[in-house]
Structures are given as structure tokens and as C-alpha cells.
Amino acid sequence: MKRRTFVALLFIFALAMPAWADVKPHGLFTDNCVLQAGKEVPVWGMATPGEKVTVTVSGKSEASASATADKDGHWLVRLPSMKAGNDPITLTIKGKNEVVVKNVLIGEVWICSGQSNMEWPLSRSAGAEEHMATSEDSLLRLITIPHSVQMTPQYNTGARWVECAPRTVGNFSAVAYFFGRDLRKALNVPVGLIHTSVGGTPAEAWTSKDGLNSEPLVQHYLFDLDKAIKNYDPDKAKQAYEEALAKWKEASAKAKAEGKKGPNRPNPPQPPDKSTHAPTGLYNGMIAPLAPCAIAGAIWYQGESNAGQAYEYRTLFPAMIKDWRKHFGQGDFPFLFVQLAPFMKIVNEPTDSAWAELRDAQLYTTKILPKTGMAVITDVGEENDIHPKKKEPVGARLALAARAIAYGDKIEYSGPVFEKATFEDGKAILTFSHVGEGLATRKDELTGFTICGEDRKFHNAKSTIIGNDTVEVTCSEVPKPVAVRLGWANYPVVNLWNKDGLPASPFRTDDWLGVTAPKK
């Protein structure tokens, strides 16, 4: 009897004690990883609560730091700032056990995020075969974060770093690859790319609960999600899906018999909190686990899924950027993004183009937030494909912006950006910044400018470059102009560039810009 009591007490005591666990680094710290140069570097992971963990860097860079795991087993050390270098180092993480992370580099780390045009792989992009064949670079490292929708911020993620090579780069983001490749060439230091994107997703899915709550105009996303979760009935959803599936089968059979293309198959039911559109879901699953990783900045290609609420994007998008900056705790790190490509040309398109409105919101963001930059790609869109295959110019222009904004290179990184408009003698006089060596056109005459009077009816206009930074716009049908637009369409046909080879951003003077653009 006494023996049974003793065994029982031992069992109860064992349950009360924290479980012993091996020291494990976070998923970002695997062989081949890149640590950010020139900044304090957080390294973190799991261990037994109360266990002391020491992280040591050995190689040409030498550093060490220790921490004690908290009650939940989380530990975090901060390594001192280290210089970039092309020679690999070793990261040793030691507690009761020891983990050795090999082939580590010190360099520039960038987060690459967004929706399908960021996720689009190199293997399906223009010139894929040649680009993949020449991609080998042991100093360019890649990691892709698995898709994950979560309703609470996650601590870890499962992924592994790899060296860039033909066998590893094919399924990696094409835009991110071209960005990293060009940055490597320009900086001559290692570059690490953390790719975390999901096709067909809106910005609210990539923003935390705090971020959405910070702006009254976008708080409705949280209310709508709560309501959708409460009202979701899986049985009703299943029944509706089965009914839709039956109709689809009937319509598909009829279309096949008539030799026509059938309708799209309906999607199976999905709880609101499992959808990749769920507000905060992708932030919690794919961005939160990355913080507080030391980074140089972020690149972003997204917006198509928010075109239905384009004007709201001028509030939502800056809120998302500020949210990321807050959670990474590294101040206003550079945030560079791609303006929407031309898509879906419409005959007699109305003047309230949603895609033009969203491009305007993206331009607006560069005006109100510091250390932001935008790659304009009006020349690489495809009329009938939302996924233009020419990704090399996109990555190249993002790399130019990074060189100027993140690294201080004295280069022109943007195409012409509208700054000021004056109206006199039947003319609109427009002044531009980012003209570089001067304004230019790729054809004999400028195209894409429209002008209106007090009636707000826009007419195609004649436009002429005056000097280095000015365009004069006139139209015989508009004797007293009050507003001008450039490329205000889903599929803008424009040809204003600077002599540095970068296209001008579409814009309008009749809304937020007024006659003078706001300053950061």
C-alpha cells in the first residue's frame, strides 16, 4: 500500500513539473540562413522553462549572448551588430543540448509578401529557362513560409533556407528572385529573401487586429469577421454547396454537349476563420511568426483583391505598413511596393476605374509614409491576364528603390511623379519630381492625358514636354480646364517616362492631390 502511495505521489509530482524539452531555434534559424548586417540581431526559440540558452557566432564574426527561457519555454537573445561578409559562419545554440546551424551568412534580409503576382514562380515567368539556368548564387538565400491562416498570432513557422540554384529557385517568387539578384549585384553582399505570400488575398488579411483597430475606417473588417463566424452554419453551408454542385454538373454536361466551355466548379464550403480572406488570418499565420526578425526592409506586390474597395485602400494600406513596422520594432524600415499593372482593357471605360483608383491609393501612400517607394509597371501589363509574365522589370525597379531608399545610393529610382498643377490661359501646366535626366516620351507624341472643365467631363488632350520637368496639357473642347489625369483606366496606355528609363505613375489632380502633393 505504501509503495502504491509513493508511486502515485511521484506521478503527481511529475505532472506538476514542466516537461523537459530540447533547445530548439525558431524556424528562421536553419542551415543556410542569413542574419541582418549592421543591426542588433534577435535569435529566439524554445527550451525548458527556466533553462539558460547561449547563442554563439563563430567564424570571421564572433559574438555571444545568453537568455533564460520564460514560463512558456520561449527564449530570445540579441546578438550585437555584425558586418556583412561573404564567408559563412556557424551559429551554436546551447542549453542542455546543443544545436549547430551551419553555412550562415551576414547580409541583407528582406521580406517579400503580397498576393499572386508576388507568389508567381520563376518557372512560369517570361524567360524562365534562361533565368533559372543562370541563377546559381551561393550568396543569395531563399526561404518560403508555408501558407497558414490563424485567428491568433503564431510563434513559429516551418520552413528551411536554401542556397539559390536552378534546382531551388523554380518554385520561388519570380519578383523576389529578380529583386534579390539585382540587389546582390549592386551591393556585393549576401542577400536573404523571406518569401511569404498567398494568391488572391486582400490587405486586411495581412494586417493584425491592432492594425485594423488603429483606423476607425477599417475596423469594420473585424466586426464583419466576428459576425460571419457567429452566423456560420456548417450544415447549411454543406447543403448550399451540394445544391450548387448539382447545378454545376448539369450546366457542365450541357456545355460539353454544345461544345462550349463549362462554368467554374463551385468551391467547397469553408468556415470564415479558415479563409485566406479572413481579416488578420495571414498576418497571424505568416507575418507574426517572423517578428522580431532583423530585416533591411520589405517588398510588396498586392492590391488586385482590394480593387472593389479601392478608395478605402488609401487608409487600409498605410495602416498595414505602420502595423508591420510596429510589430517588427525596427522603426520605419523601408517598405517598397509594386503599383498595379495594366489589366482588363474596356472599350468606353468609365472615368471611375477601380484599378486606377487603387493605383492612386498606392501613389498616395508614398506621399504620406516615410521610406516608402513604388515600382510603376504600366509597360509590362497584359490586357487579358491579371498575371503579367514579365517579372524581371518589376524586381529590377524594386531593387532600384531599395538601393536609393534603404542604402542611400544617389540614383534615380522612380519614374516621374506629379507634384503641382496650375491652370491659366486655357492650359494646364504640370510639374513633376523624379525626372532624373529629364522627362521623355517613347513615341513622337505623349499619350494618356485627359483634361476637364467645370462639367467634370474628361476629354483626350494634347500634351507637350516643356523643359526637364514640365508638361503642358490643352484641349480645344476644354477652354477653361480645372483638372488633368494621366492613365486613369484599368489598362492605361501611357508613354511619359524619364530619360533614366522609368515610366511615370498614373495620377489625377482632381482629388487628394489638389494642386500640390502632400509632403511626408
Side-chain angles (χ1 to χ4, degrees):
M1 186 68 180
K2 289 181 179 180
R3 178 178 175 81
R4 288 182 180 178
T5 303
F6 178 71
V7 171
L9 288 172
L10 282 177
F11 180 71
I12 293 170
F13 180 72
L15 288 177
M17 291 290 290
W20 187 88
D22 284 347
V23 168
K24 291 183 179 179
H26 184 277
L28 285 176
F29 307 105
T30 72
D31 291 352
N32 309 310
C33 70
V34 180
L35 304 180
Q36 177 61 41
K39 290 184 179 181
E40 189 177 64
V41 178
V43 178
W44 67 97
M46 298 291 293
T48 302
E51 183 176 357
K52 182 180 178 182
V53 178
T54 299
V55 180
T56 303
V57 172
S58 57
K60 281 200 171 182
S61 294
E62 300 283 346
S64 182
S66 298
T68 301
D70 65 17
K71 62 182 179 61
D72 297 316
H74 298 157
W75 56 267
L76 182 149
V77 305
R78 295 184 182 275
L79 296 171
S81 172
M82 295 173 281
K83 292 183 179 180
N86 296 347
D87 296 318
I89 61 172
T90 298
L91 203 63
T92 302
I93 303 165
K94 188 172 184 179
K96 295 174 183 175
N97 63 300
E98 183 175 281
V99 177
V100 179
V101 183
K102 302 175 182 178
N103 196 27
V104 178
L105 293 173
I106 310 297
E108 299 300 312
V109 180
W110 285 81
I111 291 177
C112 314
S113 188
Q115 59 179 109
S116 55
N117 272 308
M118 179 61 81
E119 192 173 31
W120 197 263
L122 181 61
S123 62
R124 297 174 63 190
S125 302
E129 186 174 341
E130 178 184 352
H131 291 309
M132 290 172 63
T134 58
S135 66
E136 185 120 17
D137 185 352
S138 64
L139 300 182
L140 179 59
R141 307 291 176 84
L142 320 172
I143 185 172
T144 296
I145 306 304
H147 291 188
S148 178
V149 178
Q150 303 290 336
M151 287 296 99
T152 57
Q154 300 300 292
Y155 179 79
N156 209 339
T157 185
R160 297 195 69 81
W161 286 89
V162 295
E163 293 184 1
C164 185
R167 67 185 183 281
T168 61
V169 77
N171 290 326
F172 194 73
S173 162
V175 169
Y177 165 70
F178 288 123
F179 167 79
R181 182 199 68 180
D182 285 10
L183 210 55
R184 271 272 306 115
K185 291 178 182 178
L187 302 179
N188 195 29
V189 299
V191 171
L193 303 175
I194 303 173
H195 172 224
T196 177
S197 63
V198 179
T201 55
E204 61 267 23
W206 295 97
T207 309
S208 78
K209 185 175 181 180
D210 289 346
L212 293 176
N213 266 327
S214 70
E215 289 288 353
L217 290 177
V218 297
Q219 288 176 350
H220 68 88
Y221 286 112
L222 298 175
F223 304 145
D224 294 344
L225 176 62
D226 288 343
K227 184 178 179 181
I229 292 173
K230 290 176 183 177
N231 293 339
Y232 181 72
D233 184 326
D235 293 331
K236 287 184 178 180
K238 181 180 179 182
Q239 181 181 350
Y241 169 68
E242 289 174 349
E243 291 173 356
L245 191 63
K247 291 180 180 178
W248 172 79
K249 288 179 179 179
E250 183 180 342
S252 296
K254 182 179 179 182
K256 184 177 181 180
E258 295 174 353
K260 298 178 181 179
K261 182 180 178 181
N264 293 329
R265 184 187 181 100
N267 293 320
Q270 187 177 49
D273 58 348
K274 301 299 182 185
S275 168
T276 55
H277 279 238
T280 78
L282 296 175
Y283 172 85
N284 291 329
M286 299 178 66
I287 299 299
L290 308 180
C293 178
I295 58 173
I299 61 172
W300 174 261
Y301 192 164
Q302 188 275 340
E304 297 91 341
S305 289
N306 286 100
Q309 299 79 36
Y311 194 83
E312 180 191 73
Y313 200 73
R314 65 175 58 200
T315 300
L316 176 60
F317 188 38
M320 190 204 82
I321 296 172
K322 289 186 283 187
D323 183 47
W324 285 26
R325 286 173 169 176
K326 174 186 173 183
H327 287 284
F328 277 83
Q330 296 169 53
D332 292 332
F333 61 75
F335 196 102
L336 316 173
F337 50 91
V338 184
Q339 193 178 58
L340 290 189
F343 170 63
M344 198 170 54
K345 192 172 183 179
I346 300 174
V347 178
N348 298 322
E349 184 172 355
T351 58
D352 57 350
S353 162
W355 279 52
E357 186 78 70
L358 196 128
R359 291 189 196 103
D360 197 51
Q362 293 173 313
L363 177 60
Y364 174 73
T365 300
T366 68
K367 298 291 185 178
I368 65 169
L369 290 186
K371 293 187 178 179
T372 52
M374 182 174 69
V376 176
I377 55 170
T378 50
D379 56 320
V380 297
E382 294 183 28
E383 183 176 336
N384 298 310
D385 195 340
I386 200 171
H387 302 117
K389 304 304 183 294
K390 295 179 182 177
K391 301 300 188 189
E392 188 173 18
V394 184
R397 290 169 194 175
L398 287 169
L400 285 177
R403 288 174 57 192
I405 295 171
Y407 303 108
D409 284 3
K410 303 301 181 184
I411 58 172
E412 183 53 81
Y413 67 89
S414 170
V417 175
F418 167 73
E419 285 293 322
K420 184 179 179 180
T422 57
F423 300 92
E424 56 185 35
D425 300 328
K427 302 175 183 178
I429 308 298
L430 311 177
T431 304
F432 293 81
S433 61
H434 290 287
V435 297
E437 295 296 319
L439 295 176
T441 177
R442 296 221 158 171
K443 294 182 179 178
D444 293 336
E445 293 184 1
L446 288 177
T447 60
F449 282 92
T450 57
I451 194 168
C452 78
E454 294 289 352
D455 61 359
R456 295 288 172 173
K457 292 182 179 179
F458 281 86
H459 301 264
N460 291 331
K462 180 180 179 181
S463 48
T464 306
I465 295 172
I466 307 295
N468 278 344
D469 66 352
T470 302
V471 172
E472 181 182 280
V473 183
T474 60
C475 177
S476 59
E477 297 176 82
V478 185
K480 294 183 178 180
V482 300
V484 174
R485 293 176 174 180
L486 172 66
W488 198 263
N490 286 354
Y491 191 92
V493 179
V494 291
N495 63 355
L496 178 63
W497 293 58
N498 57 29
K499 292 178 182 178
D500 303 74
L502 296 169
S505 171
F507 67 90
R508 59 178 171 182
T509 69
D510 53 305
D511 188 50
W512 62 270
L513 287 171
V515 294
T516 303
K519 301 299 181 183
K520 295 180 184 179

